Amino acid sequence: MTLLLVAIGLGAGVLSGLFGIGGGIVIVPALLHFAKMSPQQAAGTSLAALVLPFGAAVGALNYYRAGHLHVRDALFIAVGMAAGAFAGSWLSTNMDGDLLRKAFAVLMVIMAVKLWVG
């Protein structure tokens, strides 16, 4: 179970580091379109915004109080996310901006279809 949780965190961290996911669904496209940032700048800026996750902490506190938070599991996922974010950000900074933008678009389409279909 521990390895699964770390793997989930690692996958989320890679995507987070690569695409700036966290605020990536809203922040990255907005920074690309409205602020005219490169994909790497948008992902980096979005990722940096997550450094102080006050909103996430407040939300997690509500889940904790309601008995819906597994703190130990969250810590294992966080370890994986840290490693994954490092790897994903390295990949992003060494990729062509157009390829990164297109890969992010493909990810969003896949997720939209999965959400739509169920």
Side-chain angles (χ1 to χ4, degrees), residues 57-71:
V58 172
L61 182 60
N62 282 332
Y63 281 104
Y64 178 78
R65 287 178 179 161
H68 300 297
L69 176 66
H70 294 273
V71 175

Side-chain angles (χ1 to χ4, degrees), residues 17-34:
L18 187 58
F19 296 121
I21 292 175
I25 301 302
V26 174
I27 294 172
V28 169
L31 293 174
L32 289 170
H33 182 72
F34 297 114

Side-chain angles (χ1 to χ4, degrees), residues 38-104:
S38 72
Q40 290 89 346
Q41 289 171 326
T45 301
S46 178
L47 198 56
L50 299 174
V51 171
L52 299 172
F54 182 71
V58 172
L61 182 60
N62 282 332
Y63 281 104
Y64 178 78
R65 287 178 179 161
H68 300 297
L69 176 66
H70 294 273
V71 175
R72 180 182 170 276
D73 293 354
L75 292 173
F76 282 120
I77 292 168
V79 168
M81 284 186 70
F86 180 82
S89 62
W90 182 87
L91 287 169
S92 175
T93 58
N94 289 287
M95 285 177 78
D96 175 68
D98 284 338
L99 177 61
L100 183 60
R101 180 180 48 79
K102 290 174 182 173
F104 182 63

